[in-house]
Amino acid sequence: MAYNLPPLPYDYGALEPHIDTETMQIHHDKHHATYVKNLNAAVEKFPELKDVGIVDLNKSIGTSKIPSDVATAVRNNGGGHLNHSFFWQVMGKSSDNNGPSSDLKAAIDSAFGSLDELKTKFNAAAAGRFGSGWAWVVVKSDGNLAVTSTPNQDNPLFSGAEVAGVPILGLDVWEHAYYLKYRNLRPEYISAFWKVVNWETVNNYYSAGKKGSFSIEPSRS
């Protein structure tokens, strides 16, 4: 089965003025679509990969389960497909931003001291990622929260990730995610991101992550 580009869960302009309509159109319809196209091309010659779900595929990256001939292509494009599918879900209209649940807030307070301190650490990870990559909040195997960042289209599900865990929040800091509106001012984009976080979705990811579960399976055809 082929991997498919999932539709956005909202209109292209739903995140205005924080993330602009044109950026969302290009980011979803061009960049994400290209990752899906290239991933399908990479696994086409390896039947053992064609029926693997995108989460299990990402968990296999960095292991011998991915043939060496396509390891780089699967890493870049399989990571890109999962990361973007997740990214669209953890954002929403500003009016839907109700904050973390009491359960998640308690975990945030325990790990970071406060939501503001989490934001400070997350913002630093996002701003400090040299070149292209992502910033993440993850649930580690011990159940505690951590902030991390990854290069390119890597993510914390990969085998051998520097900080492994189940993602509950992620931010794309590739320039194509923000350059049309924010130019070279990445910190302004990072600050604006908090205004469009869909905390209901993040709360759900946290509830699943505590059990070691992560699911973001776009449709296959």
Side-chain angles (χ1 to χ4, degrees):
M1 295 186 292
Y3 297 98
N4 292 328
L5 177 68
L8 287 177
Y10 35 72
D11 295 336
Y12 293 114
L15 308 184
E16 289 274 11
H18 311 294
I19 300 179
D20 61 286
T21 302
E22 186 178 10
T23 292
M24 291 300 295
Q25 289 175 322
I26 295 172
H27 199 171
H28 177 267
D29 295 359
K30 302 298 182 182
H31 291 280
H32 190 176
T34 297
Y35 290 124
V36 174
K37 177 182 177 181
N38 290 342
L39 177 60
N40 283 324
V43 303
E44 181 66 31
K45 298 177 182 178
F46 295 90
E48 68 271 28
L49 298 180
K50 293 178 67 175
D51 293 329
V52 178
I54 193 61
V55 173
D56 287 338
L57 186 74
N58 272 258
K59 289 179 177 179
S60 297
I61 291 171
T63 75
S64 60
K65 294 179 181 179
I66 308 297
S68 59
D69 289 355
V70 291
T72 298
V74 170
R75 186 183 197 103
N76 292 339
N77 296 290
H81 182 28
L82 182 141
N83 293 351
H84 286 86
S85 298
F86 176 75
F87 186 45
W88 311 137
Q89 296 292 331
V90 297
M91 295 190 293
K93 297 178 181 179
S94 297
S95 59
D96 297 333
N97 188 335
N98 295 318
S101 65
S102 58
D103 193 25
L104 177 54
K105 186 178 185 304
I108 290 171
D109 290 346
S110 175
F112 305 104
S114 68
L115 178 58
D116 285 342
E117 284 299 313
L118 165 62
K119 290 180 179 180
T120 296
K121 291 182 181 296
F122 184 91
N123 292 358
R129 167 50 57 187
F130 181 77
S132 301
W134 292 73
W136 307 93
V137 180
V138 301
V139 183
K140 298 187 297 181
S141 59
D142 62 7
N144 293 319
L145 297 177
V147 166
T148 186
S149 70
T150 55
N152 302 316
Q153 293 297 347
D154 289 7
N155 64 58
L157 295 173
F158 283 14
S159 175
E162 182 177 355
V163 178
V166 176
I168 66 169
L169 184 65
L171 175 62
D172 187 346
V173 293
W174 284 61
E175 286 186 344
H176 65 241
Y178 63 88
Y179 212 81
L180 288 179
K181 181 175 179 66
Y182 295 98
R183 304 305 182 193
N184 62 322
L185 302 177
R186 185 190 287 186
E188 290 191 9
Y189 160 69
I190 296 167
S191 178
F193 169 68
W194 290 105
K195 296 180 174 65
V196 295
V197 170
N198 184 335
W199 282 105
E200 181 177 355
T201 297
V202 176
N203 293 334
N204 290 337
Y205 276 121
Y206 174 63
S207 296
K210 289 192 299 180
K211 303 172 185 176
S213 176
F214 179 80
S215 179
I216 182 81
E217 293 291 351
S219 62
R220 307 280 298 278
S221 62

